[in-house]
Amino acid sequence: KLVELVYTAVSRAMFNKDQLALAVHLARNLLPAQFPTEEWSVFLNCSSSLSDGAANTASKRESGSRPGTAASSTPSWVRAESADAYEQIAAALPGLVATAQLQEGRIWAPWAASTASVVGPGDGGVEFVPAAVAGRLSGLQQLTLVAAFRPDSLPVATAKLMCQLLHLPNLSPPPLSMRQLLQKTSESMDSNHESSAGAASVEPVLFVTTPGADPSQELAAFAETQVGRDRLHEVAMGQGQAEVALQLLKECTRTGDWLLLKNLHLVVSWLPLLEKEVHNLPPDRHEGFRLFLTSEPHGKFPATLLESSLKVVFEAPPGIKMNLQHTYASWSTDFLAGTTAAATGTGTVQPVPAQLVPLRAQLLFLLAWFNAVIQERRNYVPYGWSTAYDFSVADLRAGADVVSRIASSTDQSGMDWQQLLGLLQVIYGGRVDAEHDARVLVAHLKAIFTLDLLTARPPTTTGRRQQQQQRLPGLSQTATPLPLTGAKQDWQAYVATLPDTDAPEVFGLPANIERAVALGSSKRLLAALRQMGTAQAAAAAFDRQVWADQLQPLLKLWDQLVSTAPPGLRQVIAAASSAVARPASAAARAAAVAAAAVAANPGGPASRDVAATSSASAGGSDGPVESFVGLERQFGMALLKQIAGVMGGIKAVVTGDASLSASVQAAASALIQGQVPTAWDSQWEGPSSPLDYIRSTIRRASALEAWHSFSQKPGGLLANAGSGPQDALDLGQLFRPGAFLNALRQQAARNAGVPLSDLKLCSVWQGGRLPKGRDCSPAVHVCGVILQGALFDGSSLSPAWQVCMRAKGWVLQQE
């Protein structure tokens, strides 16, 4: 119970997207035996992704005859984007590979190919992997395999495991109304009364908001019932409001009024002064005084002001069910019962006739449902909306007033549906600025506000045969009929029967949209855990045991990757690993600068002289393509030497065989924090994950050895590779594929005897569709191309919801 209370209190001060990371962090610190250090490190870094490493693996499987490809020991059931993750698990946790029987395709292939969540509905145990092996694996081991091979299910599986470990019903804290919030401050005041009278009355309540979330109207409605609306003073902070705010602060402490200071993130430089004034308030201040603050997250918000405030995050609750629960918690009993028709609770509108209360209550539910749907669609940007529109509680409040007025004025002539839909479209449509989004908004309005959903019919339908209530859009046919009362408890009970999770169909989205969203959530979760697990101060200081624990999986993977590299590269790596990382040679730096110059300015002096500059390093023909291969190979070796020096230096320091240098310490600190060392990133902007960066570097350097070998044969690279789909050149094997295209352009200009400016790049899917009657030399088949937002069937492109899709057999040509 104590853990639940702590988690609930802390999670209320965190955004929904961060609550899962909080639960994992809490569980890992309370139950360290459930999270062995080595397994935890692998879990944080083995996530599957369609990166360039995955693309290289896919190319490798498509054909073994292409330059730089080699046979893989990865099981056939492992998808291309998960091959890197498998290799890391095999290198760092061979025991897990054996215990889980990952080589058994009959066990794992159906599970990996499934599109269903690894957590079944109502599943009470922890079984996220095939049942044949689940009993032999711990929860963390199962999560590691989910992260590697089914990353779309990682958030839901992690949430399930954390709920079981921490004995929590769910990870979303129950909604907290303004009344409950003020009661908590009152309880705090009572507990602190003996030591500091009135302490809670000056404890600021800080609402941490997101764009579009504004607690001021809900607070104003509550203040109306507690102290009177005229005793709540609001100040929107900005230019020239600082003195006004301080004057009101002093006045309200004397009179007992409430003060709300909004948008503090706009005046962070002034906040130390506010903090000082709050701290120095007189001890005889009025006990009814309350100070409320609102602010969006800001990196320079004073930590001491945060610590002295009661922090509550105010944002749209996650999921339609939670959103509805929050809405009904904010609506008063009188408002739902129709004795107060205005949503503000002021009572300025005539109460609703008793016979129309059920109809009005059902229309209010449809409004709350519509409000929740369009807010939750923001989780699917850019698929749900083109941008995250600021639908707020103000829109819901205005819509509720419209519904109340129209329902209250319904007579024998019927309800004016057209007016209702038109006004709601004006209220919510004012937030939307894209034509397509406006059409989607209207479509949701028309689908939800329909007579078929109502069991309490307008007067004009009296005497007609009651039709069976239709289901709400996206829900099952067995949905419970809407209540026929205006009682708040009845509607809250009805909301409690709704599904806890939302199917994409509720939002009018395709079923596979959840995969794209879940993949993004998985990446954010692992990134947050890596950041939480390693404090800046701990990473900056040298601790041999911390280095050994944190970097051991990376060192193991490094050794495994080096063992599969070509013999020539292994010799280079062995030589560099014997010393601490050192800067690249002058020749290597010159090669990097030259390659960058060619990529940036294909028609400039560096581009024209590229062959002469590096003919010696290319070793064969002095053509632009061969010169590029020589430069690229030299650049890859220089980068690999730098990485090998760092890895060798870390290994030597951990084992006590070498002293610590500044360059090794800086690189190791970055690696412990899950970041690519600046010295590496400044040479090549590769993947953001150190593991992926190292994999990509070794793979590219290894592939370039094959490219170099082909370039040394008679006729050069293009005469020995890239002539057809079976030996297509993989652009994913290059550090700078753009420079290769520029070299190809130079080669075409040389062959045709024309200026570079007269050429253009032409691409076709099949070589037989090249332009007839023209000299298209050089034409080359390439692969390793990644398409975003499209499907490729081998001959044409078509739109798709999938995030990305590989294309094969793309032909590049210069003319």
Side-chain angles (χ1 to χ4, degrees):
K1 189 66 175 179
L2 176 61
V3 172
E4 182 177 353
L5 289 173
V6 171
Y7 174 80
T8 299
V10 177
S11 62
R12 283 201 174 110
M14 303 189 71
F15 292 109
N16 298 326
K17 62 183 179 62
D18 298 322
Q19 289 171 357
L20 180 54
L22 168 66
V24 177
H25 186 68
L26 186 62
R28 183 167 176 252
N29 283 274
L30 292 177
L31 306 167
Q34 299 288 336
F35 301 86
T37 301
E38 190 169 6
E39 292 183 0
W40 175 252
S41 181
V42 174
F43 166 70
L44 292 182
N45 296 283
C46 74
S47 60
S48 166
S49 64
L50 188 52
S51 60
D52 50 34
N56 288 343
T57 305
S59 296
K60 184 188 306 181
R61 290 182 175 179
E62 289 167 9
S63 173
S65 60
R66 294 172 184 162
T69 58
S72 174
S73 60
T74 305
S76 59
W77 63 267
V78 177
R79 292 178 293 188
E81 62 266 28
S82 302
D84 286 341
Y86 174 84
E87 291 179 8
Q88 183 185 348
I89 293 175
L93 302 173
L96 176 59
V97 175
T99 303
Q101 298 178 265
L102 293 183
Q103 296 291 339
E104 295 292 336
R106 60 181 179 81
I107 296 178
W108 289 94
W111 177 83
S114 174
T115 58
S117 172
V118 299
V119 178
D123 187 4
V126 176
E127 189 172 292
F128 310 137
V129 297
V133 298
R136 300 195 293 268
L137 303 178
S138 67
L140 179 59
Q141 289 173 335
Q142 293 188 50
L143 285 187
T144 300
L145 298 178
V146 171
F149 309 120
R150 291 288 306 280
D152 54 306
S153 292
L154 179 61
V156 64
T158 305
K160 181 70 175 180
L161 178 61
M162 295 308 108
C163 286
Q164 184 177 76
L165 292 178
L166 298 176
H167 304 286
L168 299 174
N170 57 70
L171 297 185
S172 296
L176 187 68
S177 66
M178 287 291 175
R179 182 179 299 276
Q180 293 171 318
L181 180 63
L182 266 294
Q183 286 176 348
K184 287 184 178 297
T185 61
S186 298
E187 293 169 359
S188 175
M189 180 170 60
D190 293 340
S191 63
N192 290 298
H193 181 73
E194 294 182 0
S195 59
S196 178
S201 66
V202 77
E203 179 186 27
V205 177
L206 174 60
F207 295 101
V208 185
T209 65
T210 56
D214 183 11
S216 60
Q217 295 198 30
E218 188 172 336
L219 178 61
F222 180 69
E224 178 75 23
T225 64
Q226 299 297 307
V227 296
R229 180 64 182 86
D230 57 336
R231 297 187 62 189
L232 172 65
H233 306 274
E234 302 182 30
V235 180
M237 299 306 300
Q239 189 69 27
Q241 296 300 308
E243 290 300 325
V244 175
L246 294 179
Q247 183 63 34
L248 279 173
L249 175 64
K250 296 176 181 179
E251 182 178 343
C252 290
T253 57
R254 180 177 55 83
T255 62
D257 288 357
W258 292 4
L259 177 61
L260 171 61
L261 303 181
K262 301 189 291 186
N263 303 326
L264 295 187
H265 58 282
L266 302 178
V267 289
V268 289
S269 61
W270 172 77
L271 293 183
L273 179 58
L274 171 65
E275 180 185 359
K276 180 180 178 181
E277 291 293 331
V278 171
H279 181 73
N280 292 330
L281 288 177
D284 59 345
R285 55 186 170 268
H286 198 289
E287 64 178 10
F289 167 67
R290 293 291 186 276
L291 176 61
F292 301 92
L293 312 172
T294 72
S295 175
E296 294 182 14
H298 196 288
K300 295 184 178 180
F301 200 99
T304 51
L305 183 57
L306 283 172
E307 293 171 357
S308 62
S309 304
L310 175 63
K311 296 166 287 295
V312 179
V313 164
F314 195 89
E315 61 178 335
I320 289 181
K321 183 175 181 177
M322 289 292 293
N323 197 303
L324 290 173
Q325 288 176 336
H326 178 81
T327 296
Y328 276 92
S330 66
W331 282 345
S332 67
T333 301
D334 291 341
F335 171 66
L336 284 171
T339 55
T340 299
T344 58
T346 60
T348 58
V349 178
Q350 184 177 359
V352 181
Q355 68 273 19
L356 295 177
V357 168
L359 171 64
R360 172 180 172 274
Q362 292 189 358
L363 288 174
L364 285 173
F365 173 79
L366 296 184
L367 173 67
W369 179 271
F370 168 76
N371 182 77
V373 166
I374 62 172
Q375 285 188 339
E376 289 301 307
R377 276 184 70 103
R378 294 181 298 194
N379 295 327
Y380 298 91
V381 171
Y383 309 104
W385 301 112
S386 59
T387 187
Y389 293 115
D390 295 342
F391 301 118
S392 68
V393 66
D395 303 319
L396 176 64
R397 194 175 301 278
D401 285 342
V402 167
V403 167
S404 295
R405 292 175 185 275
I406 293 181
S408 301
S409 61
T410 301
D411 53 23
Q412 294 299 324
S413 62
M415 189 173 64
D416 193 339
W417 284 94
Q418 185 174 358
Q419 182 186 31
L420 174 63
L421 295 179
L423 290 175
L424 292 179
Q425 184 179 347
V426 169
I427 293 171
Y428 285 93
R431 305 277 188 183
V432 178
D433 54 18
E435 181 180 354
H436 173 74
D437 291 342
R439 293 199 301 268
V440 170
L441 184 75
V442 173
H444 276 296
L445 271 173
K446 292 182 176 179
I448 294 173
F449 284 91
T450 173
L451 189 63
D452 293 336
L453 290 175
L454 302 176
T455 53
R457 300 303 179 88
T460 53
T461 63
T462 303
R464 297 182 183 178
R465 182 174 59 88
Q466 288 285 338
Q467 302 177 9
Q468 183 178 2
Q469 181 197 17
Q470 299 296 312
R471 65 187 179 96
L472 285 163
L475 292 188
S476 65
Q477 293 284 358
T478 57
T480 306
L482 298 180
L484 286 168
T485 71
K488 181 175 180 177
Q489 63 271 21
D490 292 342
W491 284 101
Q492 289 179 320
Y494 176 80
V495 170
T497 66
L498 297 174
D500 292 325
T501 57
D502 304 322
E505 291 80 6
V506 174
F507 310 106
L509 297 171
N512 63 355
I513 194 65
E514 289 290 351
R515 175 174 169 78
V517 175
L519 287 174
S521 299
S522 297
K523 293 180 180 179
R524 288 191 296 272
L525 171 63
L526 294 174
L529 293 176
R530 286 193 293 266
Q531 185 177 10
M532 294 174 68
T534 306
Q536 293 278 347
F542 171 66
D543 187 314
R544 181 173 281 107
Q545 188 58 47
V546 171
W547 280 32
D549 293 340
Q550 297 286 340
L551 298 175
Q552 195 62 33
L554 187 64
L555 294 173
K556 284 185 177 181
L557 178 65
W558 168 255
D559 291 338
Q560 182 191 37
L561 293 174
V562 170
S563 67
T564 62
L569 284 184
R570 289 203 299 270
Q571 294 177 4
V572 171
I573 293 172
S577 298
S578 62
V580 178
R582 52 188 176 272
S585 65
R589 289 195 298 270
V593 172
V598 171
N601 187 10
S607 176
R608 293 192 296 270
D609 298 337
V610 65
T613 302
S614 59
S615 59
S617 62
S621 170
D622 62 351
V625 173
E626 284 66 36
S627 298
F628 160 78
V629 173
L631 285 171
E632 191 79 345
R633 176 174 178 253
Q634 190 179 45
F635 175 82
M637 282 192 172
L639 179 59
L640 198 56
K641 287 179 182 178
Q642 192 172 21
I643 295 175
V646 170
M647 301 305 290
I650 292 175
K651 186 180 297 184
V653 171
V654 169
T655 57
D657 296 332
S659 58
L660 180 64
S661 69
S663 59
V664 171
Q665 182 174 14
S669 297
L671 293 173
I672 290 175
Q673 297 178 71
Q675 301 172 0
V676 175
T678 303
W680 301 359
D681 198 54
S682 63
Q683 295 296 317
W684 175 55
E685 294 184 5
S688 58
S689 165
L691 291 169
D692 290 338
Y693 191 98
I694 292 174
R695 286 193 196 103
S696 297
T697 301
I698 291 185
R699 282 178 173 164
R700 283 169 167 79
S702 300
L704 284 170
E705 291 298 296
W707 283 59
H708 177 68
S709 176
F710 278 104
S711 70
Q712 300 303 294
K713 295 181 179 180
L717 176 69
L718 301 184
N720 297 280
S723 59
Q726 296 305 314
D727 64 346
L729 296 174
D730 191 343
L731 297 184
Q733 295 174 347
L734 302 176
F735 290 98
R736 294 181 176 87
F740 169 73
L741 298 183
N742 289 327
L744 192 66
R745 186 182 185 189
Q746 297 169 44
Q747 188 69 55
R750 177 177 296 187
N751 293 350
V754 298
L756 288 172
S757 58
D758 292 347
L759 297 177
K760 66 177 181 179
L761 179 67
C762 179
S763 61
V764 295
W765 298 116
Q766 296 90 20
R769 298 177 61 183
L770 293 174
K772 304 298 183 182
R774 295 186 184 182
D775 181 10
C776 297
S777 177
V780 58
H781 286 256
V782 300
C783 63
V785 179
I786 296 179
L787 302 179
Q788 182 172 350
L791 291 172
F792 180 59
D793 60 8
S795 61
S796 61
L797 290 173
S798 59
W801 285 105
Q802 283 82 349
V803 175
C804 47
M805 193 74 181
R806 283 191 48 78
K808 47 188 176 181
W810 193 28
V811 180
L812 290 177
Q813 163 208 341
Q814 294 281 358
E815 67 172 10

